[in-house]
Amino acid sequence: MRHIFLTLGLLILAAFPARADNAPVEWALGDGIYIAGRDITVNRVIDGPLTATGETISVAESSTIKGNAWVAGRHVAVAGNVDGDLNIRAQDALINGTVKGNVSFYGASLVFGPDARITGDVSYYTALPAEIDKGARINGAMKSGFFRSDPRGEDGMAMPPFMPEAGTFAAMRHWSLPGYNLSWAGSVFFGFLAGLIVALWPAEAARLGDVLYREFFTAFSFGALLFFGVPVIALVALVTIIGIPLMFVLLLFWPILLLAGVVAVIVACGALIGERLTFTDDGIARRLAGVILATVILRIGFSLPFLGTLFWFCAVMAGIGTLFLAGRSRLPK
């Protein structure tokens, strides 16, 4: 997270037209070097870590970075030597040098050239599996959060099927966000969070239930706007240099938003159900009973054949919108 905000600041500085030649701005901090600009070429020995942000970033074959390298840009090419870890956030990247540490990549496409020599592990998150030349050597494990880590085949075609790798995010299969099949373990987890909220903040839980009941369509509309709007804004941000760090912030924020939507809809539905329970006096027992029943109902709804996906979308969007409207009503007018 520190790198994200650092990069955003560097990119904003680089965007100011203070120098007509668009030459990169560079400064040192200890042994490390920070570079920001439009087109950056690193062709020397750096005794410490490197942080670089720009549109086109090239680490030449003659260069050596005696530390970690953190690079954010649109097009990135690394042909030199990196003694530490290499972290790249870019639209596309070519790695054709030596990396003695681990490699981490977030972006659209990743290519390993014939001279790539990677000692550590490779973790990448891309739209398609990485392209790996026959001459490349990767000693560590290949990990991908969205697709199988299998490289493209010899014919250049992507290797199917596109399924989560059984490693980095294997647990997501059981939580099904967004897999539309919430397990009982996941239900207990979300129900526990919702139970804490109704027990510690009963007034806030009641407000969520009231908003869901009285302003359902408004809440659903706001939730749908945020549900689909955040990924769209992230894609738009990818087009601009300054927007690349913002894209990663939004990509981190979006799953948190989904989790918050699930908890919020359980709390709101639990509050509405609890108001209609008459087997006990109004109190924490009634509120928790409402949460338990709401959790079971949502779990069953998510598991329905064919309709489970639609039920999941509607519930999450309603929860996000309810949380938004309830929070807005708390703001001073």
Side-chain angles (χ1 to χ4, degrees):
M1 187 63 70
R2 174 178 64 86
H3 288 304
I4 293 176
F5 291 109
L6 172 63
T7 302
L8 183 58
L10 295 177
L11 289 173
I12 293 174
L13 290 174
F16 284 105
R19 304 180 63 175
D21 57 357
N22 289 324
V25 178
E26 177 179 324
W27 64 95
L29 181 61
D31 294 333
I33 298 294
Y34 295 81
I35 306 175
R38 180 172 181 177
D39 298 314
I40 298 173
T41 300
V42 179
N43 54 5
R44 65 185 187 276
V45 176
I46 298 177
D47 292 329
L50 168 68
T51 299
T53 60
E55 181 170 357
T56 302
I57 303 173
S58 175
V59 179
E61 185 177 357
S62 59
S63 62
T64 298
I65 301 169
K66 298 181 179 180
N68 299 328
W70 198 91
V71 182
R74 182 172 296 178
H75 308 291
V76 174
V78 178
N81 301 314
V82 179
D83 290 345
D85 296 336
L86 174 60
N87 300 280
I88 301 177
R89 309 294 183 260
Q91 177 178 317
D92 53 77
L94 167 64
I95 300 177
N96 198 34
T98 300
V99 180
K100 295 182 180 179
N102 299 322
V103 174
S104 172
F105 176 78
Y106 288 76
S109 63
L110 174 63
V111 177
F112 290 92
D115 296 326
R117 300 292 183 270
I118 313 298
T119 302
D121 298 336
V122 175
S123 300
Y124 69 95
Y125 307 89
T126 60
L128 292 172
E131 296 185 46
I132 305 177
D133 189 272
K134 293 180 179 180
R137 297 291 181 268
I138 301 176
N139 296 330
M142 295 286 292
K143 302 177 182 179
S144 172
F146 300 112
F147 305 102
R148 288 184 184 272
S149 57
D150 305 314
R152 291 174 178 257
E154 296 182 0
D155 58 355
M157 299 299 292
M159 301 289 286
F162 298 137
M163 294 293 291
E165 177 200 334
T168 309
F169 291 100
M172 290 182 65
R173 298 179 181 177
H174 303 289
W175 298 88
S176 295
L177 281 174
Y180 324 124
N181 185 20
L182 190 64
S183 67
W184 283 114
S187 301
V188 171
F189 173 75
F190 289 116
F192 176 75
L193 293 180
L196 284 179
I197 293 174
V198 300
L200 298 177
W201 301 284
E204 302 299 330
R207 180 176 289 105
L208 287 174
D210 186 65
V211 170
L212 182 65
Y213 178 74
R214 297 180 182 276
E215 303 180 67
F216 175 80
F217 292 104
T218 304
F220 183 83
S221 300
F222 272 108
L225 182 64
L226 291 172
F227 185 95
F228 295 107
V230 171
V232 170
I233 294 174
L235 291 176
V236 173
L238 179 62
V239 179
T240 65
I241 304 176
I242 296 178
I244 292 176
L246 174 62
M247 178 195 69
F248 292 109
V249 172
L250 291 175
L251 290 180
L252 291 174
F253 169 74
W254 195 68
I256 296 175
L257 186 67
L258 301 187
L259 296 176
V262 174
V263 176
V265 77
I266 293 176
V267 172
C269 291
L272 294 176
I273 294 173
E275 292 177 355
R276 290 157 175 80
L277 296 178
T278 58
F279 64 87
T280 182
D281 295 333
D282 187 18
I284 188 172
R286 178 183 292 186
R287 295 194 295 270
L288 291 178
V291 167
I292 293 173
L293 290 176
T295 303
V296 172
I297 292 173
L298 289 175
R299 167 66 176 87
I300 295 174
F302 291 165
S303 304
L304 292 175
F306 306 108
L307 296 178
T309 298
L310 179 62
F311 191 86
W312 185 90
F313 272 106
C314 293
V316 172
M317 287 188 286
I320 294 172
T322 299
L323 191 63
F324 177 81
L325 292 180
R328 189 183 64 172
S329 66
R330 294 282 295 173
L331 296 176
K333 298 182 179 179

